[in-house]
């Protein structure tokens, strides 16, 4: 599975790390093809390669030789799009080693760049059923047909990719809240602490500065769980959509 968009800042790596990896079998592998190694959130222990002929040869050989062993997700960085396009052209047929191309798009992204990504895949013979779009970081209760009007028009005219109106991940403040902490979506959801009860128990001593600080933390954790539950449910839904249920 390739996650790719020539357009940057669409949340591609976050979707790979937070949505895909936790929902695939445990032996699933993530490969990052990105010259900019400052991209945050990479999963420790995963391959990090550049868009060079040498590294791309390694990627292609790895896909070929592990075809029956385990799932592989390749996160292709947008900063190397021109190089990656050239590699796809030079290594004729390397696109066919992928079963699925996931193209995330966000409201801040350039819709024409997303269309160019799909155009390139189509021109190289990738059928529409193997190209699936995800609408990412979408404000809650927004009309995606209005926000992404150009992409909807493009799909109507070309019908060269799968556009599911419910393949939507809402914008969330969770990642900003968790920045600098060791918490993850999974750890938050697995935590069985009754934070509301802890707030209730601490309330009689709420004027104590230490207790007041603790109550603030309990409230922060409870709110994190609310946000994590919604986001995880959306990840579950979109994962099923792009993986064909």
């Amino acid at each position: 599975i390739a996650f790719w968009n020539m357009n940057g800042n669409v949340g591609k790596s976050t979707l790979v790390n937070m949505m895909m990896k936790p929902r695939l079998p445990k032996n699933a592998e993530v490969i990052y093809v990105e010259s900019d190694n400052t991209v945050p959130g990479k999963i420790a222990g995963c391959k990090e390669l550049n868009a060079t002929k040498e590294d791309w040869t390694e990627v292609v050989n790895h896909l070929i030789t592990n075809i029956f062993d385990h799932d592989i997700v390749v996160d292709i960085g947008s900063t190397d799009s021109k190089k990656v396009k050239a590699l796809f052209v030079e290594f004729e047929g390397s696109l066919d080693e992928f079963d699925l191309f996931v193209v995330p798009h966000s409201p801040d992204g350039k819709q024409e760049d997303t269309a160019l990504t799909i155009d390139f895949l189509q021109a190289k013979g990738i059928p529409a059923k193997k190209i699936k779009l995800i609408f990412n970081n979408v404000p809650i209760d927004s009309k995606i047909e209005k926000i992404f009007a150009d992409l909807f028009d493009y799909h109507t005219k070309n019908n060269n990719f799968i556009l599911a109106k419910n393949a939507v991940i809402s914008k969330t403040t969770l990642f900003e809240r968790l920045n600098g902490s060791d918490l993850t979506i999974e750890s938050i959801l697995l935590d069985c602490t009754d934070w509301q009860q802890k707030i209730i128990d601490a309330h009689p001593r709420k004027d104590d500065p230490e207790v007041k600080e603790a109550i603030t933390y309990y409230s922060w954790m409870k709110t994190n769980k609310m946000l994590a539950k919604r986001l995880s449910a959306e990840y579950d839904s979109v994962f099923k959509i792009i993986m064909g249920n």
Side-chain angles (χ1 to χ4, degrees):
I1 305 171
F3 270 67
W4 187 39
N5 192 334
M6 297 181 198
N7 197 353
N9 300 315
V10 293
K12 173 176 53 61
S13 295
T14 299
L15 290 171
V16 168
N17 300 337
M18 302 294 183
M19 182 180 74
M20 295 300 295
K21 184 65 169 71
R23 288 164 181 79
L24 289 169
K26 289 186 177 181
N27 64 344
E29 181 181 8
V30 172
I31 300 174
Y32 301 101
V33 179
E34 175 67 76
S35 295
D36 182 6
N37 290 320
T38 62
V39 176
K42 290 182 178 178
I43 300 170
C46 292
K47 283 186 176 69
E48 296 184 28
L49 302 173
N50 295 316
T52 62
K53 290 183 182 180
E54 181 181 1
D55 282 2
W56 192 248
T57 300
E58 182 177 343
V59 172
V60 174
N61 287 340
H62 195 65
L63 294 175
I64 294 170
T65 55
N66 290 280
I67 187 168
F68 297 117
D69 295 340
H70 56 272
D71 294 312
I72 301 172
V73 181
V74 182
D75 178 357
I76 303 174
S78 60
T79 55
D80 296 318
S81 287
K82 288 184 179 179
K83 293 180 181 179
V84 171
K85 282 178 65 179
L87 290 168
F88 277 137
V89 171
E90 181 174 358
F91 287 70
E92 182 66 35
S94 60
L95 283 166
D96 297 326
E97 296 302 324
F98 293 94
D99 298 304
L100 177 65
F101 290 87
V102 180
V103 183
H105 184 82
S106 69
D108 296 331
K110 296 179 180 179
Q111 298 186 47
E112 58 267 31
D113 285 349
T114 297
L116 285 172
T117 304
I118 297 168
D119 280 342
F120 174 78
L121 293 172
Q122 181 191 37
K124 298 302 294 180
I126 303 302
K129 65 181 181 180
K130 290 178 62 173
I131 307 171
K132 298 189 179 182
L133 191 72
I134 292 179
F135 298 108
N136 193 33
N137 290 328
V138 180
I140 294 174
D141 293 331
S142 298
K143 294 185 180 296
I144 61 170
E145 294 92 337
K146 182 177 181 180
I147 297 177
F148 306 108
D150 289 347
L151 281 176
F152 273 82
D153 289 343
Y154 169 75
H155 180 262
T156 300
K157 292 175 183 177
N158 297 278
N159 198 29
N160 55 352
F161 67 102
I162 301 298
L163 188 158
K165 293 182 180 180
N166 52 349
V168 177
I169 303 295
S170 302
K171 189 176 180 63
T172 180
T173 60
L174 182 61
F175 298 121
E176 182 180 347
R177 291 170 63 90
L178 299 184
N179 188 32
S181 77
D182 294 328
L183 294 173
T184 64
I185 296 173
E186 288 72 30
S187 67
I188 292 171
L189 294 176
L190 288 172
D191 179 22
C192 297
T193 304
D194 187 340
W195 297 107
Q196 184 62 58
Q197 188 59 51
K198 292 182 79 68
I199 293 171
I200 293 170
D201 294 343
H203 187 73
R205 296 179 293 120
K206 62 183 175 62
D207 294 329
D208 183 315
E210 290 187 2
V211 175
K212 186 176 181 180
E213 184 177 350
I215 291 174
T216 299
Y217 175 74
Y218 302 153
S219 175
W220 180 73
M221 286 297 293
K222 182 177 180 180
T223 305
N224 287 340
K225 194 153 194 173
M226 293 176 181
L227 294 168
K229 281 182 177 180
R230 178 188 178 95
L231 184 59
S232 181
E234 290 186 349
Y235 281 165
D236 286 341
S237 175
V238 173
F239 177 82
K240 289 178 181 179
I241 291 169
I242 66 169
M243 297 297 286
N245 295 314

